Amino acid sequence: MLCETRSAPAAARALSATSDAAIDALADALRAASVRAVVTVARGSSDHAASHFAYLLLTRLGVLVTSIPPSAITLHNAPIDATDIAAISFSQSGQSPDLVAAMAGLRDRGALTTAFVNDVKSPLALGVQHCIDLAVGPEKSIAATKSFIAQLVAGTRLVASWSRDDVLLDALERVPETLEQALDSDWSAGIAALIDADRLLVIARGASLAIAAEMALKFKEVCGIQAEAFSAAEVRHGPMALIGAGYPLLVLAPRGPEQAEVLAFAADMRRQGASVLLAASGGRPDVQLLIAVSQHKVLDGVSAVQSFYVMVEALARARGLDPDQPPRLKKVTLTT
């Protein structure tokens, strides 16, 4: 896991060299098709990458996005009219039968289909009209790391190209450098704070909520911590009842319009006695986990998860666990 985490900057360079032109061509095709809405199809970490993409697409282009559970097609044969809709699947292996069948069903219903996938010869890749190669090479770690980062970057590239956002496109060229800086960011405070934790909330807002969901999944997968992700706004609608003195919170507050409210939430929770780990960019005395600043605020979540992966791998080992052998998990999960 650590080796593949550290290979993410090289993977981002490979993705750019291999697939930037294909992503730009896909953006042209989406514009030409006058796509009125997008549906995403994914599971696990890939679904978190799909959620990140969906938030950016909604807020930057105003395109409505819905996450489709594969079972709506595979089990219920839902009568969806997918005319003028793009269906986009995110997957590392491209092997799971439910993803393959759901995308085939959406194509039959009129959707323009795309897969962001690391195996271009997989059933998922071969069954769609547009295949974007993540190009990260074989991923051996059971807990996805470099493939998730590649999915975030590829999804952001599509949003930037579709919206013709030259500023974001230029910033994406510098992502490998930002990831290298993020690898050197010291998140060891998280190890000391969470070594004995058995439960945890990961708090964020906006596109970073998808990053928080990925962090919560990794806490469960490799550390055995019951972790859940919540919006800083949503947590006040019930889950906050859990937060008592000493309750651990990882609060993710990258730059952006949501940051001020998330920082205020973190300060409020500290006043109430919670044990708050604040992840944000520099210049604040209350930050324990420093987020490496990217060339564009939209990309700060990508650098945050890069630093997080190093920390959570070390946390698992500090807790006496092997992050490369999570119990009862395997690399490729086949669901129907």
Side-chain angles (χ1 to χ4, degrees):
M1 181 179 176
L2 182 59
C3 179
E4 291 187 340
T5 293
R6 292 193 173 280
S7 73
R13 290 189 178 93
L15 168 65
S16 179
T18 302
S19 296
D20 276 2
I23 294 172
D24 294 342
L26 172 59
D28 290 340
L30 291 165
R31 282 192 295 266
S34 300
V35 166
R36 60 184 170 87
V38 170
V39 297
T40 62
V41 182
R43 297 264 191 215
S45 290
S46 295
D47 195 38
H48 303 152
S51 295
H52 183 269
F53 164 75
Y55 197 93
L56 295 183
L57 190 60
L58 175 64
T59 55
R60 300 183 77 81
L61 277 86
V63 175
L64 296 177
V65 189
T66 301
S67 173
I68 294 288
S71 60
I73 305 293
T74 61
L75 300 182
H76 294 277
N77 194 28
I80 298 169
D81 179 4
T83 307
D84 301 327
I85 287 177
I88 302 179
S89 183
F90 289 73
S91 176
Q92 193 274 323
S93 70
Q95 298 290 335
S96 190
D98 56 349
L99 298 186
V100 176
M103 290 298 286
L106 288 164
R107 182 173 182 175
D108 290 345
R109 289 161 171 79
L112 188 158
T113 56
T114 297
F116 288 86
V117 64
N118 195 39
D119 182 354
V120 296
K121 296 181 179 179
S122 65
L124 179 63
L126 297 175
V128 296
Q129 293 149 293
H130 296 268
C131 176
I132 303 302
D133 185 2
L134 296 176
V136 302
E139 188 172 55
K140 298 178 181 179
S141 172
I142 291 176
T145 55
K146 64 181 182 180
S147 65
F148 177 74
I149 289 173
Q151 288 173 336
L152 294 179
V153 174
T156 305
R157 172 80 191 198
L158 178 55
V159 172
S161 186
W162 194 347
S163 61
R164 295 188 172 99
D165 186 336
D166 290 336
V167 174
L168 183 52
L169 287 169
D170 288 345
L172 282 159
E173 297 299 317
R174 303 289 297 276
V175 163
E177 298 170 29
T178 303
L179 292 174
E180 288 169 345
Q181 294 167 9
L183 284 171
D184 293 332
S185 188
D186 182 8
W187 279 40
S188 60
I191 300 171
L194 300 174
I195 191 167
D196 295 320
D198 60 2
R199 56 182 180 170
L200 170 69
L201 293 184
V202 187
I203 306 297
R205 280 198 78 174
S208 294
L209 184 57
I211 306 297
E214 169 65 7
M215 291 177 174
L217 176 61
K218 289 300 185 285
F219 278 127
K220 289 190 280 277
E221 281 183 319
V222 303
C223 294
I225 299 173
Q226 179 61 46
E228 303 298 335
F230 282 99
S231 161
E234 187 65 30
V235 76
R236 296 186 184 275
H237 292 266
M240 207 166 108
L242 295 171
I243 303 172
Y247 195 103
L249 303 174
L250 195 165
V251 180
L252 186 61
R255 294 175 299 164
E258 301 88 1
Q259 186 185 54
E261 196 278 335
V262 176
L263 291 172
F265 175 85
D268 185 28
M269 292 301 99
R270 279 203 175 108
R271 285 191 293 270
Q272 296 190 35
S275 176
V276 176
L277 278 167
L278 178 61
S281 53
R284 296 185 58 88
D286 52 348
V287 172
Q288 293 80 41
L289 309 175
L290 188 64
I291 297 177
V293 175
S294 68
Q295 298 299 310
H296 195 295
K297 61 187 178 183
V298 162
L299 298 168
D300 281 3
V302 182
S303 62
V305 81
Q306 174 75 95
S307 300
F308 168 80
Y309 282 149
V310 176
M311 183 273 284
V312 80
E313 195 272 351
L315 175 61
R317 295 191 183 280
R319 289 166 64 91
L321 301 171
D322 183 355
D324 296 330
Q325 297 293 330
R328 296 173 292 282
L329 297 179
K330 56 185 178 180
K331 182 59 186 170
V332 177
T333 304
L334 305 178
T335 49
T336 57

